């Protein structure tokens, strides 16, 4: 798929400190791309460069195949990490004002804002002041303003921080919906759990360096270890366990079930497949549970960081 955004060999230094060390990312059109890494990794710095708030020391950014141009901000919606709204202004008034700055007519802005306020269940807040809003509510308002002009590229810096789990989920669903409607989405997060359902592509940055990037499914395939989690019902559990241990690398598993099974993880050799294991088990136990162990993005991140330490 064609890339909407390409950042190529980006370097950014603050004095002696290198905040981005030769970082490149490619964001395919109409994808959701997660920029992941712990606090201080360099995520916000990269997003600010893409939004032309700061300049890179070296490297180039391309949008739609062309070098980034100041006018491109019209095609980008950006939710910055520091959520600045004018505290004493009324919510609706401020939303209208900011929407007008993005080039919408007053009528368009009002119509779209009413739609979004209703959708995010904040319509009762139109005449309240920003300072009366909770952090999460102010963030909802800012989310609406970010997406209101329907830019083709949406950039959210830590969109879930500040939200309770219910609202974080609501925003996650909105992001998925925006992608369905054709937007390309780049977001940063230091919390790995929010990426699993959302991202098709990720890049992991750690201490200013990109450690890993690509399609989540490809990365998971590369990191999985031919290990299966099984739940077995056998007449003679100790014997079965011994037999398994003779042939496979066996560990214990811990998953929720209503059965009082022997719960194990079984790692196969590279030349073995799930069918070899099933065949072995069939004559020895009833198989109540059988799933391949797929590493989480968090597992992969921890593994990559330790390998690079
Ligand atoms: P992240 O968003 O991944 O948490 P940042 O991009 O905000 O990380 O910061 C990366 C590093 O660069 C941090 O160590 C931060 O202190 C440093 N940094 C960011 N902006 C500046 C700046 N304007 N001046 C000096 N150091 C900065
Ligand atoms: Mg940040």
């Amino acid at each position: 798929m064609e890339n909407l955004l390409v950042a190529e060999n980006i370097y950014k230094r603050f004095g002696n400190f290198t905040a981005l060390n030769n970082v490149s990312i490619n964001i395919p059109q109409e994808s959701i791309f997660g920029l992941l890494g712990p606090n201080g990794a360099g995520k916000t710095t990269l997003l600010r460069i893409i939004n032309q708030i700061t300049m890179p020391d070296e490297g180039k950014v391309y949008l739609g195949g062309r070098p980034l141009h100041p006018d491109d901000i019209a095609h980008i919606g950006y939710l910055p990490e520091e959520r600045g709204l004018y505290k004493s202004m009324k919510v609706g008034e401020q939303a209208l004002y900011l929407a007008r700055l993005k080039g919408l007519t007053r009528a368009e802005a009002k119509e779209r804002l009413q739609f979004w306020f209703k959708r995010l269940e904040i319509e009762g807040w139109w005449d309240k002041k920003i300072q009366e809003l909770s952090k999460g509510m102010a963030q909802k308002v800012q989310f609406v303003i970010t997406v209101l002009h329907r830019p083709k590229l949406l950039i959210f810096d830590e969109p879930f921080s500040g939200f309770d789990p219910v609202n974080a989920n609501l925003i996650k669903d909105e992001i998925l919906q925006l992608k369905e409607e054709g937007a390309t989405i780049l977001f940063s997060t230091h919390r790995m759990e929010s990426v699993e359902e959302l991202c098709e592509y990720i890049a992991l940055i750690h201490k200013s360096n990109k450690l890993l990037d690509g399609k989540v499914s490809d990365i998971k395939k590369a990191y999985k270890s031919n290990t299966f989690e099984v739940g077995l019902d056998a007449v003679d559990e100790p014997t079965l366990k011994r037999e398994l241990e003779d042939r496979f690398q066996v560990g214990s598993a811990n998953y929720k079930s209503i059965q009082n099974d022997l719960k194990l993880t079984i790692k196969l050799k590279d030349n073995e497949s799930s069918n070899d294991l099933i065949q072995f088990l069939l004559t020895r136990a009833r198989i109540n549970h059988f799933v391949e162990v797929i590493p989480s993005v968090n597992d992969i991140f921890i593994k990559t960081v330790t390998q690079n330490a």
Side-chain angles (χ1 to χ4, degrees):
M1 196 181 274
E2 213 177 300
N3 291 317
L4 177 63
L5 187 98
V6 173
E8 227 172 55
N9 308 107
I10 304 290
Y11 289 83
K12 181 70 188 180
R13 300 176 197 95
F14 297 110
N16 293 330
F17 178 75
T18 301
L20 292 170
N21 184 31
N22 195 17
V23 172
S24 302
I25 56 171
N26 298 316
I27 303 177
Q29 199 104 38
E30 290 179 40
S31 68
I32 302 184
F33 189 105
L35 189 61
L36 318 179
N39 292 322
K43 304 179 299 295
T44 295
T45 304
L46 182 58
L47 297 185
R48 287 168 64 91
I49 287 170
I50 293 168
N51 281 289
Q52 305 179 82
I53 294 164
T54 42
M55 291 288 287
D57 293 315
E58 292 172 50
K60 284 236 150 61
V61 183
Y62 300 88
L63 183 72
R66 287 204 303 269
L68 209 55
H69 184 270
D71 292 343
D72 286 331
I73 47 167
H75 307 297
I76 302 178
Y78 174 46
L79 178 73
E81 193 172 25
E82 69 289 351
R83 326 270 196 226
L85 291 169
Y86 304 104
K87 295 227 177 308
S88 57
M89 222 167 153
K90 284 189 179 160
V91 174
E93 194 186 335
Q94 173 155 185
L96 270 173
Y97 170 75
L98 293 169
R100 295 296 307 279
L101 288 184
K102 305 224 163 154
L104 299 183
T105 67
R106 196 181 162 81
E108 257 175 342
K110 195 150 188 197
E111 196 191 318
R112 291 192 198 177
L113 281 168
Q114 278 167 346
F115 167 83
W116 274 104
F117 272 52
K118 195 152 186 235
R119 190 173 165 100
L120 298 187
E121 295 172 351
I122 49 175
E123 70 263 53
W125 290 83
W126 189 267
D127 287 319
K128 299 249 163 65
K129 284 185 180 168
I130 293 285
Q131 63 199 11
E132 296 175 66
L133 300 187
S134 68
K135 195 174 171 197
M137 278 185 169
Q139 203 165 318
K140 276 187 180 175
V141 174
Q142 211 154 3
F143 179 85
V144 169
I145 291 162
T146 306
V147 305
L148 203 68
H149 60 304
R150 298 178 186 158
K152 59 183 175 192
L153 178 62
L154 288 166
I155 300 177
F156 303 118
D157 199 354
E158 304 279 355
F160 307 110
S161 74
F163 278 130
D164 59 71
V166 173
N167 281 310
N169 224 26
L170 188 136
I171 291 300
K172 193 192 282 178
D173 289 343
E174 292 303 337
I175 291 177
L176 283 167
Q177 182 60 32
L178 287 159
K179 185 215 138 156
E180 285 307 306
E181 288 164 11
T184 303
I185 291 141
L186 166 62
F187 76 98
S188 77
T189 182
H190 63 277
R191 291 190 4 231
M192 303 294 156
E193 67 272 31
S194 48
V195 308
E196 295 273 345
E197 303 149 61
L198 215 47
C199 299
E200 202 181 342
Y201 298 86
I202 53 169
L204 300 182
I205 356 188
H206 180 56
K207 293 188 178 163
S208 322
N209 291 281
K210 185 181 75 183
L211 298 186
L212 184 69
D213 68 344
K215 213 171 178 172
V216 175
S217 53
D218 292 341
I219 293 171
K220 288 197 172 203
K221 263 184 212 141
Y223 276 77
K224 73 191 177 75
S225 58
N226 210 13
T227 302
F228 295 81
E229 187 180 74
V230 298
L232 304 171
D233 185 1
V235 179
D236 184 356
E237 278 193 3
T239 305
L240 172 63
K241 206 166 170 214
R242 208 169 335 106
E243 283 184 317
L244 280 165
E245 279 164 351
D246 283 345
R247 188 158 160 196
F248 305 104
Q249 198 178 316
V250 180
S252 59
N254 185 14
Y255 59 90
K256 281 209 182 78
S257 88
I258 52 165
Q259 319 268 16
N260 191 23
D261 286 336
L262 178 61
K263 295 174 182 158
L264 302 171
T265 60
I266 300 178
K267 182 170 164 32
L268 306 186
K269 297 199 179 74
D270 288 347
N271 61 353
E272 293 171 321
S273 82
S274 54
N275 280 9
D276 297 315
L277 175 57
I278 290 172
Q279 205 154 40
F280 182 88
L281 292 171
L282 271 178
T283 53
R284 292 172 170 83
R286 192 167 66 206
I287 306 168
N288 288 330
H289 175 92
F290 193 98
V291 287
E292 184 166 14
V293 177
I294 309 289
S296 68
V297 170
N298 196 39
D299 295 336
I300 293 169
F301 185 70
I302 289 166
K303 195 166 176 187
T304 321
V305 168
T306 19
Q307 275 168 358
N308 284 271

